[in-house]
Amino acid sequence: MIKKLITLIGLTILLVNFIPTPVLARGISFKDAGVALWIFIIIGSIIILLQLIPAIILFFTFVGTTTGLISKRKRVTEELPAEEKEKIEMSGYEPAPVKR
């Protein structure tokens, strides 16, 4: 069992070392690229750029939510007297009655 595992690990390391051959170390030239490759590149770049739309929406939603919470918290604490600052209740959270 262990001999088989060591052989498998050694073979894997040997094969990984031979993958990057000098044949693959040349530049990429699009001079002889076909129409299908250009269509694939254009559609792929459009798909990648379309992912920016939900990312921007989520980013500005996060920024708006955090700034809204910060400004609301400052407004609420400024309006209350000093002895009631510890008793600030957040809107939407109320104690629920429990029936036994």
Side-chain angles (χ1 to χ4, degrees):
M1 177 90 176
I2 293 180
K3 187 176 180 181
K4 184 178 180 181
L5 183 64
I6 292 173
T7 307
L8 184 63
I9 291 173
L11 185 63
T12 304
I13 291 172
L14 183 71
L15 289 175
V16 167
N17 283 333
F18 284 120
I19 287 175
T21 60
V23 175
L24 299 175
R26 59 187 176 99
I28 299 172
S29 173
F30 290 116
K31 188 168 79 171
D32 297 326
V35 177
L37 179 63
W38 284 109
I39 292 173
F40 177 75
I41 290 173
I42 291 169
I43 291 175
S45 61
I46 290 172
I47 289 172
I48 289 172
L49 289 175
L50 283 176
Q51 292 177 10
L52 290 175
I53 296 171
I56 291 170
I57 292 170
L58 287 172
F59 175 74
F60 284 115
T61 303
F62 174 73
V63 170
T65 303
T66 52
T67 54
L69 287 174
I70 290 171
S71 66
K72 185 176 181 180
R73 188 179 304 155
K74 286 181 182 176
R75 239 184 300 132
V76 169
T77 54
E78 290 172 357
E79 294 172 359
L80 291 176
E83 61 269 356
E84 292 187 16
K85 282 188 179 179
E86 296 89 28
K87 300 178 183 178
I88 295 175
E89 293 184 18
M90 295 185 69
S91 61
Y93 293 100
E94 299 176 3
V98 177
K99 295 179 181 178
R100 292 187 181 202

